[in-house]
Amino acid sequence: FPAVRQDKPEPGRNSFLLRCRQVNHIPRRFRLHLFPLAFMPSISFLNHLGALLTLWLLLCCGAPAAENGRILMVTEATFPPYEFRDGNTILGIDPEIMREVARRTGRELVIEDMSFDSVITAVVSGKADAAASGITVTPERRRKVDFSIPYVEAAQVIIVPKGSPIRKREDIRGKRIGVQHGATGDIYVTRNIQQPERFPNGALAVAAVAAGKVDAAVIDQDPAKMYVAGNERLEILPEPLTSESYAIAVRKGDTVLL
């Protein structure tokens, strides 16, 4: 379905973004599995995104979902509040969006957990119908897949131990920097600063900061807030490194679909 950026966001999206900005106001005593309630997208937002995905699924008659009545979504489920595990169930904002899409199209949603650097490849190869994993829209990814309308504004931030001499982006040059392999933080640090130390997910990069194995971690802002809320020895520097948007990735369509 079309990759469209709207200059004037709809009211539902505004309210959803407001809830995302308020993550640091949620009391720590709330359990992790309650976060999807705080971040639940508005009905108008789901209606809009669901309509777009419905059109795409109906037109893409050769897709696996159309053949077997399923939507196969791939994700990397260590990225709260967007996707995380509660026992054997994958919860979060992205699964909730895709569950609504599946409901509206009369199909079964199947979620597969895999490494983040494989989710785009799974869509390109036809193994998956959609990748929903807090994926930042970039020119490189646009060349491989089509994106939904962006549903949240995000940023890359720096996590350091409290009391660290690192106080701004210039200070991390020459330091040991942890990132999630294949994520936007990895791309930014590699291109603009230096070769980082790569971890399978953001949680492990943050754990490495807490353990003193790296000096700083560069990861997405909303997961960073949740990780830091659970560790009083860490802090997020106030200046973000990037400004970016998340969207759902689907297989590259023909000119008719675009």
Side-chain angles (χ1 to χ4, degrees), residues 63-215:
E67 292 175 356
N68 57 28
R70 302 190 310 167
I71 299 175
L72 177 56
M73 164 192 157
V74 289
T75 191
E76 194 275 302
T78 62
F79 195 70
Y82 296 93
E83 38 270 326
F84 57 91
R85 284 188 175 274
D86 183 5
N88 294 324
T89 304
I90 296 177
L91 302 175
I93 296 169
D94 289 331
E96 287 304 312
I97 292 173
M98 292 305 299
R99 287 188 179 101
E100 179 66 14
V101 171
R103 186 187 70 80
R104 289 176 175 273
T105 56
R107 294 181 171 90
E108 175 192 5
L109 178 66
V110 178
I111 304 177
E112 182 175 339
D113 191 5
M114 61 174 59
S115 63
F116 181 79
D117 58 350
S118 298
V119 297
I120 295 291
T121 302
V123 172
V124 172
S125 67
K127 179 180 179 181
D129 301 299
S133 193
I135 300 172
T136 298
V137 179
T138 67
E140 294 83 1
R141 289 170 180 165
R142 280 191 183 277
R143 287 194 284 268
K144 299 178 181 179
V145 295
D146 286 340
F147 281 104
S148 69
I149 294 171
Y151 58 89
V152 69
E153 299 301 317
Q156 297 296 310
V157 297
I158 302 171
I159 297 177
V160 297
K162 286 184 177 178
S164 168
I166 299 173
R167 305 317 303 165
K168 56 186 182 300
R169 68 174 67 195
E170 292 80 9
D171 295 339
I172 63 175
R173 190 175 300 276
K175 304 296 185 180
R176 299 169 300 169
I177 307 170
V179 299
Q180 178 179 357
H181 186 252
T184 314
D186 183 2
I187 296 170
Y188 179 88
V189 172
T190 301
R191 289 181 178 176
N192 298 284
I193 303 174
Q194 65 193 42
Q195 282 294 321
E197 296 188 30
R198 297 177 174 89
F199 295 85
N201 55 60
L204 291 177
V206 175
V209 177
K213 296 180 179 179
V214 297
D215 301 306

